[in-house]
Amino acid sequence: METVCATGVAARLRSEWDRSEGLGQNDKAMKFLGQDFESLRASCLQSGRLYEDDTYPAQTSSLGFKELAPGSAKTKGVRWMRPTEFCSDPHFIVDGATRTDICQGALGDCWLLAAIASLTLNEPLLHRVVPHGQSFHHQYAGIFHFQFWQFGDWVDVVIDDRLPVRDGKLLFVHSAEGTEFWSALVEKAYAKLNECYEALSGGSTSEGFEDFTGGVTEMYELKKAPPNLFSIIQRAVERGSLLGCSIDITGLFDMEAVTFKKLVKGHAYSVTGVEEVECRGNVIKLIRIRNPWGEVEWTGAWSDNSKEWSGIEPSVRASLYNRSEDGEFWMSFSDFMREFSRLEICNLTADALQTCELKKWSSSLYPGEWRRGSTAGGCRNYPATFWINPQYKIVLKDPDVEGQDGCSFLVALMQKDRRRLRREGKDMETIGYAVYEVPKEFLGSTGVHLKRDFFLTHTSSARSELFINLREVSSRFCLPAGEYIIVPSTFEPNKEGDFVLRVFSEKAADSEELDDELSADLPEEPVLAESEIDEGFKALFTKLAGKEMEIDVPKLQTILNRVVSKHKDLKTNGFDKEACRSMINLLDTTGKGKLGLMDFHGLWEKIKHYLTVFRDFDLDKSGTMSSYEMRLALESAGFKLTNHLFQLIILRYSKPDMNVDFDSFVTCLIRLESMFKTFKTLDTDSDGVVSLSFPQWISLTMFT
């Protein structure tokens, strides 16, 4: 476990350093799985071979794990073929990317295809996802690449062009003409990012929107929509925001059921335009919708063949009217509000939709994690553990409108990598968050992780509307200027997961993760002469140490286990050899791997002190430390630890039930104390930085 921890910490540090240098930002995408498109393509062109991607092989396991698992009915007859093998003249993009390039195949990823269709309406965005310079005719080597936003980072995903085909036709997304392949290749790259095609089945259009733009999505329930929703949609379309809509299902038999007027329930559509037209003296609001199936169109008012089109000016009709069965259609806004249930708008720069002015939001992004036993405290229904969740502070300084008190901000909590975990039988956790006003005594504080008593005595100022098992939960709030704490959590404690918290504010605002500053307030240990040590203790030591007058690992193990066995209220399996060796290494002042009288006396006093702390904070008198009791006990012993360091401690010292026994508690505290003191000794100029050569570093870490 120690090796896993060490390599994990090293990877985390490396990631933090890379991010601070700009890797993963919009203009410097991270290479997914370390694959570099340019060098791989150059190598293929030089060798004259077509690229084959070993990291995402052309085999059934890349299709799925359940309905698309190897041997399943849906995968029979599927072959992996390059477009050049089943199309006489394949093209990457013809006359620019259009919405008709995206027709759904045998996969329930309409949510993704609706997002791709919206992407075609914004060329700069499209080319962020689909980089220029890719072709089946110029420098073709069977390799393509695409870029997606993933939880705060842009990643560049390389694929080969072997696509799943049955009976000479693409199994999944395809263009209406059948000769254009950019959309099928985007789908494959996104499937690779999520481990397989089946992982893409079912989802919310907002997920695709955000992964193509890095934007933030707001959701409107149309039955409770604001009165100015049409103008909100107008401005969103004008700014190139991505929009999706759907009709709720009320039962399993509703899924993909077609209504009387040919709308599909539980199916993701994209909104591609809005217009106001004059019809027989009345101004009619219209909205244009696209079905990624490429067929099954609305048959009501303003549909392709409806009589309403004859009532508007010919020039206007010519610019809007389209009679082809391409899946795109117009309907009146009033019909849209009545027929559809939900609208999702992805704000590319999180513009303020309530006003006509284009205002940029101030934004911050924080990666975080819930870990069983250390930072996964569950929601407010679990007061004993809620406080151990990660905490973030936002300082709202300026009201939206001068002279008023309200500050608008948006909080978006997104759980990471859940689609990839579907293969393991896991899915979305139920997530949400609460917002608390900071009381006067904590105003301006930074290095403080608020504890249980605060949350027991304070109510939230705002919270996410629901705890729900979606990838992202976002809400817009308006609160008076001041300092607030955001606590993201799963609904139940001990549910593990990684997340990204994004905070957007109308005016500039400061925000930061709230965490205890790493510190140790250790009492000065009295330096005793041998003559000052109690004669009774000397006699005990002489009896235990034998004629060598030193205590080695086996002797220490025997002594400590005899002592703890007399304390029936302590739950412990006894100190093992490794724990005793660690204590001796940390307290041995002679370098011989044994404890003399003075060293043993120091250890004895520590253990007595730690026994008192353990009993004081074993609040339920179980004889063991729960994770939240452990954090309070460590603070009482003088140690303030960051969330991440506490996670590592629980990972290393707890039992499978996430509780810490007395022997592990003592070992942990002695090790912590030693590491703090070692660093302080090496930090001769007290600047918080120590430089070590590799031999020095490895000698120190191997010894401790």
Side-chain angles (χ1 to χ4, degrees), residues 515-566:
D515 211 347
D516 288 329
E517 289 178 358
L518 187 59
S519 65
D521 182 15
L522 303 175
E524 287 291 325
E525 293 180 5
V527 180
L528 299 178
E530 190 172 324
S531 58
E532 296 177 89
I533 294 177
D534 180 76
E535 290 301 321
F537 186 86
K538 286 182 184 177
L540 173 65
F541 177 79
T542 303
K543 181 180 177 182
L544 297 172
K547 60 183 180 181
E548 297 90 357
M549 292 298 286
E550 290 175 325
I551 290 178
D552 58 12
V553 170
K555 286 178 181 175
L556 181 60
Q557 186 180 17
T558 301
I559 294 164
L560 293 179
N561 288 338
R562 278 182 188 166
V563 171
V564 296
S565 68
K566 294 176 181 176

Side-chain angles (χ1 to χ4, degrees), residues 15 72 111 154 210 212 227 257 259 286 395 428 430 504 572 639 678:
S15 173
S72 63
W111 61 274
W154 282 94
E210 295 185 341
F212 295 150
T259 68
L286 299 179
V395 182
M428 302 289 181
T430 302
F504 298 84
T572 175
F639 299 102
T678 300

Side-chain angles (χ1 to χ4, degrees), residues 39 66 83 113 160 203 217 237 269 358 426 550 665 679:
S39 60
K66 193 175 179 182
L113 307 188
D160 63 36
T217 302
V237 169
Y269 292 81
L358 296 183
K426 299 176 182 175
E550 290 175 325
F665 179 76
F679 187 88

Side-chain angles (χ1 to χ4, degrees), residues 210-239:
E210 295 185 341
D211 285 355
F212 295 150
T213 67
V216 63
T217 302
E218 293 184 272
M219 199 172 288
Y220 292 91
E221 298 291 339
L222 296 183
K223 299 291 180 284
K224 300 184 287 184
N228 62 334
L229 184 63
F230 186 79
S231 63
I232 286 174
I233 296 172
Q234 266 184 321
R235 293 198 301 277
V237 169
E238 286 167 4
R239 288 197 303 274

